[in-house]
Amino acid sequence: MTFAAQYGDWLMENTNGSMHTRGLLSIFVVLLIWGSSFSVTKFVVSELPPLTAATIRNTIACLALLPFYIVRRRKMRAPLPWGKLTLMGLSGTTFYYLCFNTGMHYIPASTGAIIEGLVPVAIAIPAVLFLKEQLSARLVAGIVLSVAGVILVGFVGSPGKGDGSLLGSTLIVAAVCLWSVYTLLSRSVKDHDTLQVTAVSMMIGTVLSVPFGWMQVQQQGWPEISWKAWLGLCYCGILASAVAYFLYNKALENLPAAQVGNFLNLNPVIGAIVAFIFLQESFTGLQWAGGILVLAGIWLSSQKSTPLPEK
């Protein structure tokens, strides 16, 4: 082997290693931000109507991304996949936050965090169905455990079933499904510039969410927003949306979607711990049992195993 060939192999190996490291760092920061966003969102929607809060949050995120998008757009003139970006905007911004914010209005932050633990499973199922990824016995068992756990956490063991908690849990499950769609779409456009993909899809989703927020303002009037709620909106808009979405898509650019989904296993744990510390939330006995089932199912489905034999 010539020196040039050896150097080429070394360069390729170290480049791939650095990309992998960047991907890991990106998803780690995302987990810290998103894990705390459940409690912040719960506080915000206790003061603001959920659809209004979603529209303001998304607008702040777009304003944060706009200067960076303009600079990047001047340097890169490659055409963007507008159809997929529109679907990303609808699934990851418009309808996701309509479901997420409204759901968090009715349920505790810790419950929402545990239900969102279904995200890796929700990513794995369409990956098997549409991307023809192999189905393993561990994955099937993990899915069954996770779904059973979510039923206990959000539907059976949740206190106060008459005050909209069942509706809230259902909406968070819908948000999980929407996020799996966003993730698969984002993975499919990984060859395009991450910042442009993130900014454009979020701007499209924000524009499409404005009518929902406007209708709620027309019905309930413009809310009085405290400075703490404004801080929460800025945190959610700038960090949990603009920064975290960019880093999430960057992680999907450098890591396989399944691996990124596995890292999201920590999200419900972080979210529940933050809610317990800062909001003094607690679980019922059935919710504790359900949470353990969810985490066990997520762990089981993330393990490598032999695919099921084909019939």
Side-chain angles (χ1 to χ4, degrees):
M1 181 180 292
T2 65
F3 172 77
Q6 290 178 339
Y7 178 75
D9 291 341
W10 176 86
L11 183 62
M12 180 65 70
E13 181 180 348
N14 282 272
T15 300
N16 291 337
S18 63
M19 291 176 62
H20 183 77
T21 301
R22 287 199 296 268
L24 292 177
L25 289 174
S26 296
I27 197 63
F28 179 72
V29 174
V30 168
L31 287 174
L32 293 178
I33 295 173
W34 280 349
S36 59
S37 68
F38 295 100
S39 295
V40 177
T41 301
K42 180 63 180 178
F43 172 77
V44 169
V45 297
S46 68
E47 288 197 16
L48 280 73
L51 304 188
T52 305
T55 303
I56 296 174
R57 168 190 178 144
N58 294 334
T59 302
I60 292 173
C62 289
L63 292 175
L65 285 171
L66 184 59
F68 301 97
Y69 167 75
I70 292 174
V71 172
R72 186 64 61 89
R73 189 59 181 166
R74 289 173 179 172
K75 297 179 179 179
M76 305 186 67
R77 298 292 183 179
L80 294 173
W82 290 98
K84 288 185 177 180
L85 294 182
T86 300
L87 292 176
M88 286 177 66
L90 284 169
S91 60
T93 300
T94 306
F95 292 119
Y96 176 83
Y97 283 112
L98 293 182
C99 293
F100 181 76
N101 277 25
T102 306
M104 293 303 298
H105 178 73
Y106 292 111
I107 62 176
S110 53
T111 302
I114 293 295
I115 295 176
E116 284 262 339
L118 273 179
V119 166
V121 174
I123 294 173
I125 292 176
V128 170
L129 295 177
F130 302 111
L131 302 182
K132 307 304 180 183
E133 294 187 1
Q134 293 179 323
L135 183 66
S136 68
R138 283 182 178 270
L139 179 59
V140 172
I143 290 172
V144 172
L145 285 178
S146 297
V147 172
V150 165
I151 291 174
L152 283 178
V153 170
F155 298 93
V156 178
S158 180
K161 297 182 178 61
D163 61 0
S165 62
L166 294 181
L167 172 62
S169 297
T170 302
L171 288 171
I172 299 299
V173 171
V176 167
C177 296
L178 289 166
W179 189 254
S180 71
V181 174
Y182 176 86
T183 297
L184 295 176
L185 286 168
S186 178
R187 182 65 179 167
S188 71
V189 297
K190 66 183 181 69
D191 293 332
H192 295 271
D193 180 68
T194 306
L195 180 60
Q196 292 190 74
V197 166
T198 305
V200 171
S201 62
M202 187 170 292
M203 290 174 187
I204 292 173
T206 299
V207 170
L208 296 176
S209 70
V210 168
F212 297 98
W214 177 252
M215 285 190 296
Q216 197 163 61
V217 170
Q218 290 294 99
Q219 294 172 354
Q220 303 182 23
W222 182 258
E224 294 185 6
I225 307 176
S226 68
W227 66 270
K228 291 182 179 179
W230 274 116
L231 281 180
L233 286 168
C234 290
Y235 179 90
C236 291
I238 296 173
L239 290 179
S241 288
V243 174
Y245 271 53
F246 171 75
L247 292 177
Y248 183 78
N249 290 330
K250 179 63 69 174
L252 287 170
E253 181 182 318
N254 296 320
L255 299 172
Q259 187 175 13
V260 172
N262 288 340
F263 275 103
L264 293 179
N265 297 343
L266 293 174
N267 206 31
V269 179
I270 297 173
I273 291 174
V274 172
F276 175 78
I277 294 174
F278 292 99
L279 299 182
Q280 287 78 52
E281 292 185 356
S282 60
F283 280 175
T284 65
L286 287 176
Q287 285 183 309
W288 277 113
I292 292 172
L293 284 179
V294 170
L295 295 178
I298 290 170
W299 174 82
L300 190 63
S301 63
S302 67
Q303 303 302 302
K304 292 183 178 180
S305 59
T306 304
L308 289 173
E310 295 183 2
K311 295 182 179 180

